[in-house]
Every structure is written in structure tokens, then in C-alpha cells.
Amino acid sequence: MKEKPCSNLQKLLVNGEFVVTAECGPPRGMLKEAVTAKGELLKGYVDAINVTDNQTAIVRMSSLAACVHLLEMGLEPVMQMVTRDRNRIALQSDLLGAYSLGIRNLLCLSGDHQSFGSQPDALNVFDIDSIQLLSMVETMRDTGRDMSGYELSHAPRMFAGAAANPFADPFEYRVIRLAKKIAAGAGFIQTQSIYNLPRFKEWMRLAREQGLTEEAYILGGITPLKSAGMAGYMAARVAGMDIPDEIIKRMRGVPKEKAGEEGMQICLETIEELKNTPGVSGVHIMAIESENLVAPIVKAAGLYPRPAAE
Amino acid sequence: MIVAEQKKISEIIEMVSPYRKVLVLGCGTCVKTCFAGGEDEVAVLASLLRLAFEKQGNSKEISEFTIERQCEDEFIQEAAEAIGRNEAVLSLACGAGVQDIARRFKNVPVLPGVNTTFVGVMEDRGLFTEECLCCGDCRLGQYGAVCVLTRCAKKLSNGPCGGSRNGKCEVNPETDCAWQLVIDRMRELGQLDSLREYIPPRDWRTSNAGGPRKLFREDMVA
């Protein structure tokens, strides 16, 4: 974390800014405009845009291509890379290609299992796991060598990140896994959407106790709830999601047309708590197919304007 | 053991229909233990085939024979005579057995009567579970004797994914999360701390990724 920052996102974090990133899912199609329209909604309100890699195992425009469309708009992308679809040869090759196109942030994931997607009959790869991918990115950055030990002409200096789910089981292993990700090379961590604040805070306390917040920047995950139905669905059906009953009750307790406002209110309360939680360095807003909600959240949370990018 | 499951009767009927004399050949080891291809299954399947073809007005001779193992020459030879009397063999052995029979009887078509599914155990009465991918580089010692390569849907080497919930796998809520099992067991063994260690990428050359494997035991050569 002490060397020259790889990206603007890293630079802001090093400077101690409370950063804001948002998620952008590429389209199920090839229209560049589908990406740039999302970029327009986010421009000026976030420090970096995280572009998913065939999330939920559904075929979409590649993360790499969508990242380039955002770069052309002057936005900073975080490219997601999953180990589900590519072996180590393809992962290294795509990393080099991404770097050559100007991508400087990489989020390393194992990826949603293909059985959740539209092509459950596909073969998965999982040659390496997300922690081994982090180690690969770190090795290439710090030694300028690929996984075979071959010395590359230049070292691709990527700011590597990882995901963490404080709400998954077994809880006692969650911080060990976070430590492993950071030791393997994660400079920033994006968490699963936070609704269960007590559990998140306990996880943060353990992370601080082990000095992990000194070694990596933790961005709290935020997803605005739009309806009681969405809250119920996510609680019951989305893997790794923890939505306490109080939150579902709050969403159900308001008339349908007010549910969006209530969801927004929950978001803002969560962000406020995160700002005051030691070791939290920013928020990552995952407004799935509702990128228009990001600007109002950022403004209402007092996080606008964003610091100027270089 | 190698666990297999008998193919659908309709698929079997279609496969054997070109032949007038068919030998249903059982295997008395793994597939017998998992109730897919032992003597009893051979008898039931042969009767079903006779009935089915009779109903079609199709005269066929279906005979039965079971040997101890279809993957060992000593036992295969016991079936030579029965195989010689037939136009085709419907083998109820695993894929290895089917191929070993075919290798020795060049003029007889050998057809698979089962789908070979996995290397596993009978965890409970009637419940078979996959335990081993035969990766060729066993790490069970590192993981409290739970194979994460086989039993984690994402083959994760360094800990559970974010989809582990109440001890179950996100991919199938009826399947235990392999990592939960590893962690529980390592805790009981007082070795939980060893799971902090980074496990580097595997060398897949020992697995089937390196092409079909061979094991040559020089000490066994006379």
C-alpha cells in the first residue's frame, strides 16, 4: 500500500478519502450505448465503476470490453475477473490485455456457479481459485513475471481487490479467509450487501483486531431495496445474502408506493453507520439494473461532490 | 467404490435391438455393491428385456452371466465362452470394465448398460455420494480428510465461498458445504489454524487434464 498507486481509486484510498464505487452490469447484447448510458448515470457520483464478469453465470458483453467503453468516457473501471470460465493461461492473457487497454483495477472472484445461470449445462473451469488469482495478479505486478516465472517485458501494475461475505458461514472462518485474501494480494475488499449491521460490525472488529484494516481498504456493500418483494426474494433466494427480519418488516410496513423511499432510507442509515465504523474506507453501491438510484444516494449521503480524478 | 447407475430401459432396448443374441454381463464388485450391475441386476434386466422384445414380437435370445470383476483378465476369461455364443455383450460394469471386455473380444460389440457416475461411498441406505475425483495428487491430509476438490462445487482450495449457509452448499441445499465439514473437523482436531496457510494452484498434470494416465509398476514386471 506504500508504493506508487496503480490507479486513481488506489490513490484516493491512500489519501484517506471515503470512496464511492458502483456496480455496472454489461448488457446481454453488444450495444456500446447500453454501457455508456449506465456510465452517464454514474459519472461524477462515483470514483470507480465495477464491471461484472458474466454475473450469475449469464452471458453478457465481456467485462473487458465494457470497461474499455467506460474508459473512453473518462471513467475509471474496476474489471471483475472470475475463475469460473477461464484457466490460468486465459486469466493471465486477459490481465495483460486489460492493462494494455488502460484498466488498472481488478476484482478477483471465483464467480457464481454456472448452475445459477441460463446455461447450467456448461462446463466450469476453476483451474485456480480467487485467492490464487489474487496471488497471480500480485506476482505479475511485483515481480513482472507470469505464473511460469517468465519475465514479461513490463510488470502489469494492477490494483487488486477481492470480495468478502461477512454474512456467510462458517462465521469463525470469515476473517481467516479475509486475511488470506489480503495476504495473497488484495489491496481492497468489497463486501456483500450489508443489511445486518451488528454482524458486519462484529466482522469488522475481528478484522481490526488482526490488523487487516491496516493492510487493505474495506468498502461496505450497499444495495437499495426497491420493494418488500425484493427484500423477501433476496433473503430467501440470493446465495450469501443476509437480510434480517426487521429490515423485511420495515419494507412491508410502508405502502407499496413508499417502499422505494424506505429502501433509500435504509441505505442512507447504513452508509452513515459505515462512515462511523473504524476501518471502513468507503462504500460500493450495487444498484442492480437501477443505476439511476446511485446519484440520489450519493447526494443524500453527503458524499457529493466526489474528489477530482487526475 | 465406483458408483454406477443403470441406464434407462428404453435406451438399453434401442442399443441392443440390432442383435439377435445378447449376453447381459454382470460385474460382481463395485457395481454389485451399488446395486447397478451385479448378478441380481443382471437377472432383472435380462427378464425385462425378454419381456419387452416378446411384446414387440421380436425373437431374441437374452442370456446372463456375471463374473467377479470385468477389469481383471483372470475373471474376464471365465466369460469367454458365454461371449463367444452371443452377437453382442451388454456389460453392466463401469466404463473401465466395458472397455476391458471390448479390448479382449475384438469381434463382439460391447455396449454399456450403466452410466458410471463417480468414485464414492454408500453414505446411507440407498444414498451414494461422490468422494474422490482421482486427481492423482491426494491432499486429504491438509483438509481433515474431506476432499474439497471433489466436494466443493467450485473446487476451492483456500476456503469456503460466500455461498456457504447453515452448513449447506449454495449450489444444492441438500449437499453439505465441503468447507464447513473441513472446518468442523479441523476444529475438532485442534488444527483450525493450519487453514490459514495459502494453498498454491494445483499442478493438474497428475489429473486427467494431462491426458489419459498410466501407472507403470516396474517391480511387478516379471
Side-chain angles (χ1 to χ4, degrees), chain A residues 11-293:
Chain A
K11 189 172 180 185
L12 294 173
L13 287 163
V14 171
N15 291 345
E17 295 283 352
F18 190 83
V19 308
V20 180
T21 60
E23 196 136 310
C24 163
R28 293 178 82 170
M30 70 303 172
L31 281 185
K32 175 181 173 176
E33 292 70 25
V35 180
T36 54
K38 288 186 176 181
E40 287 298 344
L41 290 170
L42 300 172
K43 198 169 185 173
Y45 295 97
V46 298
D47 303 309
I49 300 174
N50 207 294
V51 184
T52 51
D53 181 3
N54 295 304
Q55 80 272 23
T56 65
I58 286 174
V59 171
R60 293 168 184 275
M61 180 190 290
S62 72
S63 180
L64 179 51
C67 282
V68 171
H69 297 322
L70 295 174
L71 270 173
E72 284 172 355
M73 297 174 69
L75 297 166
E76 176 159 301
V78 176
M79 183 169 119
Q80 291 196 6
M81 201 180 233
V82 304
T83 63
R84 177 193 62 220
D85 308 321
R86 281 164 289 186
N87 70 3
R88 65 189 79 179
I89 298 171
L91 292 167
Q92 291 167 91
S93 163
D94 281 353
L95 184 154
L96 295 174
Y99 193 88
S100 78
L101 288 160
I103 294 160
R104 296 291 181 269
N105 303 299
L106 197 67
L107 188 76
C108 303
L109 308 167
S110 55
D112 298 313
H113 195 269
Q114 77 277 3
S115 60
F116 294 109
S118 56
Q119 299 178 36
D121 46 347
L123 179 67
N124 59 37
V125 180
F126 298 121
D127 173 14
I128 61 175
D129 66 23
S130 57
I131 294 184
Q132 293 160 346
L133 177 62
L134 284 162
S135 173
M136 177 198 105
V137 178
E138 185 184 52
T139 303
M140 289 173 89
R141 178 184 66 216
D142 295 349
T143 70
R145 291 174 188 273
D146 70 14
M147 283 175 86
S148 73
Y150 176 83
E151 197 167 345
L152 303 160
S153 63
H154 296 84
R157 297 191 64 250
M158 287 281 190
F159 184 38
N165 186 356
F167 313 107
D169 291 324
F171 185 64
E172 66 186 300
Y173 194 72
R174 287 293 143 193
V175 178
I176 298 180
R177 185 153 164 86
L178 175 68
K180 281 182 85 162
K181 288 192 169 183
I182 293 170
F188 70 102
I189 299 290
Q190 273 176 212
T191 76
Q192 174 65 285
S193 305
I194 302 163
Y195 299 101
N196 186 344
L197 268 164
R199 180 147 169 171
F200 176 75
K201 286 183 174 178
E202 174 60 9
W203 179 79
M204 281 301 299
R205 187 185 65 76
L206 293 169
R208 283 196 306 273
E209 226 173 66
Q210 297 192 21
L212 299 175
T213 54
E214 304 296 313
E215 291 172 44
Y217 302 101
I218 294 176
L219 312 183
I222 297 287
T223 298
L225 294 171
K226 288 180 279 186
S227 64
M230 176 186 174
Y233 175 83
M234 280 170 57
R237 305 291 298 276
V238 178
M241 193 66 78
D242 177 4
I243 307 186
D245 289 344
E246 309 93 82
I247 298 282
I248 296 174
K249 269 187 208 146
R250 266 182 77 172
M251 292 301 291
R252 285 195 182 134
V254 294
K256 224 174 176 176
E257 62 280 7
K258 296 266 183 195
E261 268 172 53
E262 189 66 18
M264 177 77 101
Q265 191 52 42
I266 293 168
C267 257
L268 296 175
E269 290 166 20
T270 309
I271 295 175
E272 210 44 45
E273 291 276 353
L274 294 180
K275 282 186 194 166
N276 296 318
T277 304
V280 176
S281 301
V283 286
H284 174 59
I285 306 171
M286 294 168 273
I288 305 134
E289 294 308 314
S290 307
E291 287 80 2
N292 58 313
L293 294 178

